[in-house]
Amino acid sequence: MEADFSGIKAAVFDLDGTVNYGDKIIPGAKETIDFLRSKGIRILFATNNSGKTRQFLTDKLHRLGIECDVEDVYNSGYVAVRLVEEKGLRNTYVVGSNSFKEELSKVTNLVDEDHADTLVVGIDTRFDYERMTAALRAALRSETIIFCNEDVSYIGEGERIFPGAGAMTGFITNCSGKRPDYIVGKPNTPMFDLISKNTGIPCSEMVMIGDSYRSDVGFARNAGAKCILIGEERDDVVCVPTVRDIQGLMWTH
Amino acid sequence: MEADFSGIKAAVFDLDGTVNYGDKIIPGAKETIDFLRSKGIRILFATNNSGKTRQFLTDKLHRLGIECDVEDVYNSGYVAVRLVEEKGLRNTYVVGSNSFKEELSKVTNLVDEDHADTLVVGIDTRFDYERMTAALRAALRSETIIFCNEDVSYIGEGERIFPGAGAMTGFITNCSGKRPDYIVGKPNTPMFDLISKNTGIPCSEMVMIGDSYRSDVGFARNAGAKCILIGEERDDVVCVPTVRDIQGLMWTH
């Protein structure tokens, strides 16, 4: 598909599979980011990872050799926290990591399953039958349910498959029969809306760069942004074999 | 709905919610079973519980004061074991209780997730992220997938809601995208077929007695058996308020 990236003011990079693969940087990612910055393009990062804080992800990018400010890094957990704050949601039961719970505790009252009015669900690698039971009960009584994202799996350590937040959210919808009121992660738009609001750049002047057709391309389309898909060939979207190829693609025009 | 139970040779009782409530017998259950036996009706038990063995369930019934032989007690775990044996399935990864794994180990080779050709999924109250990860990987490579049942929840201790085997099976279908080749529990027919085969009584000459419209009534209908629903009012099935009322219902004819 033909590419037209005139008027683009910002590039939003997915992380896992685009910039890094676990703790390793993907060859060409840093150079591409530096190149785009030299052309006056603002660089942002958007990941569905809700298990880590923005600060953790920022520190990780620094370790990988990529310069960025914490304000440039967006994850679904952060967007969930902002949503809970904005809506003034109280009495929240959380399925998620300890750091996610800590971030949420700054904007809402964390409660047990028998006192929940709000349920927030992200990835929880310590999810077990006890937590499933509590989460089910919290889901049944909650007035508001927020999912970080519905990614059922991801490729992690050792390039092996792991269950994603979608394992926890799928459990909630299957066992409680309730659907979420909000899904804040990609491919839904709340994360893009927040990036646009905070940067003052309209979505139409941003390009999303990622390796997932469903998550990244869907995200850009739903928000009205441009997009580039890495490592896959699709007829209906601009594709490049590797992250390195973005440089030539965006500056042949 | 009008009842006609002439020609009935056997009554198949659901357990939880029909005969017992956790460790307590439901008033009238023993008397009803004794009454039906005095009329020459054979008594059998059918439960979706895959976490316990037939022997465990039989011992429990004895403790509740109900006479029965282990051969009269059917659970979805037992039906799964018989199916694995009958089909000659090998290299099996199991999601389930230790006793279920032990029963399966008598008829198949239990393996880890990287060597599975068959996946069998029952309730596992020790399901956690590590087991989820292994189960997902086993699901992706298995040629044959067997679910014990898809009951998403049940009412247990303290009359509170708990996740059922459907939490584990829902995880498999959601995260792997694969559906089972066999579902052996109610409302599917394999359990009724096995009861009929072992007793020599056709399904049409049996009545299923239970408290779940979906599970018990569906089970009877799918197998071509009669049924009585306890504790619920439905237009399309014979209903009684309590298990005690079955006596009058079946012998006013």
Side-chain angles (χ1 to χ4, degrees):
Chain A
M1 195 177 152
E2 285 257 350
D4 173 14
F5 297 104
S6 53
I8 288 294
K9 292 195 175 60
V12 183
F13 281 79
D14 167 52
L15 290 182
D16 274 297
T18 300
V19 168
N20 61 297
Y21 219 63
D23 282 329
K24 287 184 186 150
I25 190 151
I26 290 176
K30 180 181 158 49
E31 294 83 338
T32 300
I33 286 166
D34 290 344
F35 173 82
L36 293 178
R37 277 195 174 126
S38 76
K39 297 288 186 183
I41 302 282
R42 177 152 182 199
I43 303 296
L44 298 140
F45 302 93
T47 172
N48 269 353
N49 190 333
S50 62
K52 309 296 183 191
T53 61
R54 293 175 102 187
Q55 190 59 58
F56 180 96
L57 294 166
T58 305
D59 293 344
K60 184 174 177 174
L61 282 165
H62 290 171
R63 282 199 305 278
L64 295 174
I66 292 174
E67 286 171 46
C68 61
D69 294 328
V70 68
E71 285 75 24
D72 300 329
V73 181
Y74 290 79
N75 70 322
S76 62
Y78 173 70
V79 186
V81 172
R82 290 283 73 83
L83 179 69
V84 167
E85 184 181 40
E86 181 195 319
K87 301 281 176 195
L89 299 171
R90 289 283 166 256
N91 302 325
T92 303
Y93 182 86
V94 188
V95 174
S97 68
N98 285 345
S99 64
F100 184 40
K101 286 178 190 169
E102 201 180 310
E103 293 295 306
L104 276 163
S105 74
K106 295 173 187 169
V107 300
T108 183
N109 185 30
L110 300 194
V111 296
D112 68 28
E113 68 272 22
D114 293 324
H115 298 87
D117 300 320
T118 305
L119 171 66
V120 181
V121 185
I123 190 164
D124 179 6
T125 58
R126 295 195 297 177
F127 206 52
D128 60 12
Y129 192 74
E130 201 182 327
R131 290 189 184 196
M132 291 169 97
T133 305
L136 170 58
R137 292 175 187 165
L140 290 172
R141 52 165 288 142
S142 284
E143 284 158 30
T144 309
I145 298 179
I146 298 171
F147 285 176
C148 285
N149 66 78
E150 298 192 296
D151 300 347
V152 292
S153 62
Y154 69 95
I155 306 297
E157 209 184 305
E159 296 191 28
R160 302 200 73 195
I161 197 164
F162 289 87
M168 288 87 218
T169 62
F171 164 77
I172 296 295
T173 53
N174 184 40
C175 286
S176 74
K178 290 173 85 169
R179 287 284 304 155
D181 300 283
Y182 304 97
I183 307 171
V184 297
K186 300 182 283 182
N188 296 71
T189 57
M191 188 151 38
F192 237 133
D193 295 340
L194 192 59
I195 294 172
S196 178
K197 186 181 154 200
N198 289 356
T199 58
I201 303 169
C203 291
S204 59
E205 295 174 11
M206 293 196 269
V207 57
M208 176 73 208
I209 297 166
D211 68 322
S212 164
Y213 184 78
R214 189 193 85 89
S215 176
D216 299 317
V217 175
F219 185 49
R221 283 191 178 145
N222 290 336
K226 307 240 169 184
C227 61
I228 301 173
L229 180 64
I230 299 172
E232 236 191 289
E233 270 299 324
R234 296 268 189 164
D235 289 340
D236 59 347
V237 59
V238 177
C239 301
V240 289
T242 73
V243 66
R244 215 185 281 279
D245 304 306
I246 288 164
Q247 302 172 56
L249 179 79
M250 285 185 70
W251 258 265
T252 51
H253 301 267
Chain B
M1 196 175 152
E2 284 257 350
D4 174 14
F5 297 103
S6 52
I8 288 294
K9 291 194 174 61
V12 183
F13 281 79
D14 167 52
L15 289 181
D16 274 297
T18 299
V19 168
N20 61 297
Y21 219 65
D23 281 330
K24 286 184 186 150
I25 189 151
I26 290 175
K30 180 180 158 50
E31 294 82 339
T32 299
I33 286 167
D34 289 345
F35 173 82
L36 293 176
R37 277 195 174 126
S38 76
K39 297 288 186 183
I41 303 282
R42 177 151 181 199
I43 304 296
L44 298 139
F45 302 93
T47 172
N48 269 353
N49 191 334
S50 62
K52 309 295 183 191
T53 62
R54 294 174 102 186
Q55 190 58 58
F56 180 96
L57 294 166
T58 304
D59 293 344
K60 184 174 177 174
L61 282 164
H62 291 170
R63 282 198 304 277
L64 295 174
I66 292 173
E67 286 171 44
C68 61
D69 294 329
V70 69
E71 286 74 24
D72 299 329
V73 181
Y74 289 79
N75 69 323
S76 62
Y78 173 70
V79 186
V81 172
R82 291 284 73 81
L83 180 69
V84 167
E85 183 181 41
E86 182 195 318
K87 301 282 175 194
L89 299 171
R90 289 283 167 257
N91 302 325
T92 302
Y93 182 85
V94 187
V95 174
S97 68
N98 285 344
S99 64
F100 183 40
K101 286 178 188 169
E102 201 179 312
E103 292 296 305
L104 277 164
S105 73
K106 295 172 186 169
V107 300
T108 183
N109 184 30
L110 300 195
V111 296
D112 68 28
E113 67 272 22
D114 293 323
H115 298 86
D117 301 320
T118 304
L119 171 65
V120 181
V121 185
I123 190 165
D124 179 6
T125 58
R126 295 195 297 175
F127 205 52
D128 60 12
Y129 192 74
E130 201 182 328
R131 289 189 184 196
M132 291 170 97
T133 305
L136 170 58
R137 292 176 187 164
L140 290 172
R141 52 164 289 141
S142 284
E143 284 158 30
T144 310
I145 297 180
I146 298 172
F147 285 176
C148 284
N149 67 78
E150 297 193 296
D151 299 346
V152 292
S153 63
Y154 69 95
I155 306 295
E157 209 185 305
E159 296 190 27
R160 302 200 74 195
I161 198 163
F162 289 86
M168 288 88 218
T169 62
F171 164 77
I172 296 295
T173 53
N174 183 41
C175 287
S176 74
K178 290 173 86 169
R179 288 285 304 155
D181 300 283
Y182 304 97
I183 306 172
V184 297
K186 300 183 281 183
N188 295 71
T189 57
M191 187 151 36
F192 237 132
D193 295 340
L194 192 61
I195 293 172
S196 179
K197 185 181 156 199
N198 288 357
T199 58
I201 302 169
C203 291
S204 59
E205 294 173 12
M206 292 196 269
V207 58
M208 175 72 207
I209 296 166
D211 68 322
S212 164
Y213 184 78
R214 188 192 86 89
S215 175
D216 299 316
V217 174
F219 185 50
R221 283 194 177 143
N222 290 337
K226 307 241 171 185
C227 61
I228 301 173
L229 180 64
I230 299 172
E232 237 191 287
E233 270 300 324
R234 297 266 189 165
D235 289 340
D236 58 346
V237 58
V238 177
C239 302
V240 288
T242 73
V243 66
R244 216 185 280 279
D245 304 305
I246 289 164
Q247 301 172 58
L249 180 79
M250 286 185 69
W251 258 264
T252 51
H253 302 267

